[in-house]
Amino acid sequence: MCSMNSIDSITFSHTYTFFVVGHYTINIKSVGSTKLQKRISINEHCFVNCRYLATGDSFRSLGFRFRVGFSTVAGIVNTVATAIWDCLVAEYMPVPTGREWKEIAENFHRLWNFPNCLGTIDGKHVQIQAPASTGSLLYNYKGHFSVVLLAVVDAHYHFRVIDVGAYGNSSDGGTLAASAFGKALYSQTLQLPADVPLHGAEDQSPVPHVFVADKAFPLRRELMLPGTEEGVQLAAVPGQEDGGMHLWHSGNTVASIPESSGGVSTGCREGG
C-alpha cells in the first residue's frame, strides 16, 4: 500500500492511482471510472479531499464547486482519507509496544506525580447533521446528533490511540468496550507492563499499571477512576505524610488531560 518513491503522481491501470504526501506514495482506488463518466484525475481527488478536510463543506457544496456528483464526492473523501490513514498510521500513531508503555508510565510519574499510569481516556461528542434513516442512533444525551471520538492521551498531551465514528447514543464505557483498543485492553493483549510496587513502598504488594478515566467509564483492574473528596478517606503512602492526598489530586489532574487535548483537536465543531 505504501512505498518510498521519488515520483510525484502516476496512473496505474484503470482502478488505482497514486499520489505523494511528503516521501510517501499513497495508493487510492479511483472514483468515477464508469463508461458513462469521465475518470476523475488524481489532482481532483486530492483537491476534493483537501477542501473537505480544511473546510468541512457539505458534499453537495463540494459537488457544485468541482462539478461532480454528490455521491462521487462522498466516495472520493472516504477513499482518499482511508488511504492516507492506512499509509501513515503505522508510523505516526502505532499502538505502543511494551517498552513504550513503560516510557509513558515513567513520564506520568515524572510530570504528573502519578505512578503506574499508562494514559488517560475520554470520549468527545463531535456534533454532526444526522444522516437520513439513522433514527436515534446518533442522538446523544446532550440533545444533538454526534459521532464519538475516543482517545488515549499520554503525559505530553499526545494522542496514542484513537477510535472515531461510534454512534452518539453510546456511552463512553460502551464505546470503549466496542473499540479495537478496548477489546485488546479487556483481553489483556496490549503488552502492558507487569505489576510493580509503588515508589517508596517497595516492600508492599505490586500494583497494576492503569489507565485513568472519568466516572462515565467502568471501574476495572486496568481502568482507574478518580474519586470525589466527599466521604473519602485517603491512606498515607509510607514515608510521605500527605501522600494519599497528593495521589488523589494527581489522579484528578491526570484525568482532565483529555479535556485539554480533545477540545483542541475537535475545534469549533466539538460538541462536548
Side-chain angles (χ1 to χ4, degrees), residues 21 28 30 33 41 86 115 127 191 194 206 265:
V21 175
I28 63 174
S30 180
S33 56
S41 71
D86 290 341
Q127 187 170 355
Q191 301 182 359
S265 69

Side-chain angles (χ1 to χ4, degrees), residues 72-89:
T72 301
V73 173
I76 289 174
V77 170
N78 180 66
T79 301
V80 176
T82 300
I84 293 174
W85 171 262
D86 290 341
C87 185
L88 304 183
V89 65

Side-chain angles (χ1 to χ4, degrees), residues 118-146:
L118 300 175
T120 59
I121 305 176
D122 199 9
K124 305 294 286 187
H125 287 272
V126 182
Q127 187 170 355
I128 64 170
Q129 182 176 349
S133 304
T134 56
S136 61
L137 284 175
L138 300 170
Y139 194 75
N140 62 45
Y141 70 97
K142 296 175 180 288
H144 57 71
F145 296 95
S146 67

Side-chain angles (χ1 to χ4, degrees), residues 176-224:
L176 175 63
S179 68
F181 170 77
K183 292 177 181 178
L185 177 64
Y186 293 167
S187 62
Q188 301 181 353
T189 58
L190 281 179
Q191 301 182 359
L192 301 184
D195 299 357
V196 296
L198 296 180
H199 178 70
E202 285 77 7
D203 59 332
Q204 303 296 315
S205 300
V207 176
H209 288 77
V210 298
F211 293 89
V212 177
D214 60 26
K215 62 182 179 181
F217 292 86
L219 181 64
R220 298 177 57 94
R221 185 179 188 276
E222 65 278 357
L223 200 57
M224 182 176 181

Side-chain angles (χ1 to χ4, degrees), residues 19-211:
F19 68 96
V20 176
V21 175
H23 56 267
Y24 292 93
T25 302
I26 298 179
N27 175 3
I28 63 174
K29 188 175 181 180
S30 180
V31 175
S33 56
T34 64
K35 294 180 179 179
L36 299 179
Q37 191 175 26
K38 180 182 177 181
R39 192 155 164 271
I40 298 174
S41 71
I42 186 61
N43 288 339
E44 288 175 303
H45 276 81
C46 296
F47 290 152
V48 171
N49 188 69
C50 289
R51 182 70 181 178
Y52 174 77
L53 295 177
T55 66
D57 279 355
S58 68
F59 293 161
R60 182 176 295 273
S61 173
L62 291 171
F64 282 124
R65 179 179 293 274
F66 291 95
R67 298 183 180 180
V68 296
F70 312 144
S71 61
T72 301
V73 173
I76 289 174
V77 170
N78 180 66
T79 301
V80 176
T82 300
I84 293 174
W85 171 262
D86 290 341
C87 185
L88 304 183
V89 65
E91 178 166 346
Y92 290 98
M93 193 174 286
V95 176
T97 62
R99 179 181 59 82
E100 290 171 332
W101 285 125
K102 290 181 179 179
E103 292 177 356
I104 292 172
E106 291 170 359
N107 288 332
F108 269 108
H109 195 185
R110 177 172 55 86
L111 298 174
W112 296 94
N113 297 313
F114 195 91
N116 290 24
C117 182
L118 300 175
T120 59
I121 305 176
D122 199 9
K124 305 294 286 187
H125 287 272
V126 182
Q127 187 170 355
I128 64 170
Q129 182 176 349
S133 304
T134 56
S136 61
L137 284 175
L138 300 170
Y139 194 75
N140 62 45
Y141 70 97
K142 296 175 180 288
H144 57 71
F145 296 95
S146 67
V147 293
V148 180
L149 163 63
L150 184 74
V152 179
V153 181
D154 66 18
H156 295 284
Y157 294 87
H158 296 159
F159 288 90
R160 303 310 296 256
V161 180
I162 64 169
D163 181 86
V164 183
Y167 294 137
N169 70 348
S170 301
S171 65
D172 284 347
T175 300
L176 175 63
S179 68
F181 170 77
K183 292 177 181 178
L185 177 64
Y186 293 167
S187 62
Q188 301 181 353
T189 58
L190 281 179
Q191 301 182 359
L192 301 184
D195 299 357
V196 296
L198 296 180
H199 178 70
E202 285 77 7
D203 59 332
Q204 303 296 315
S205 300
V207 176
H209 288 77
V210 298
F211 293 89

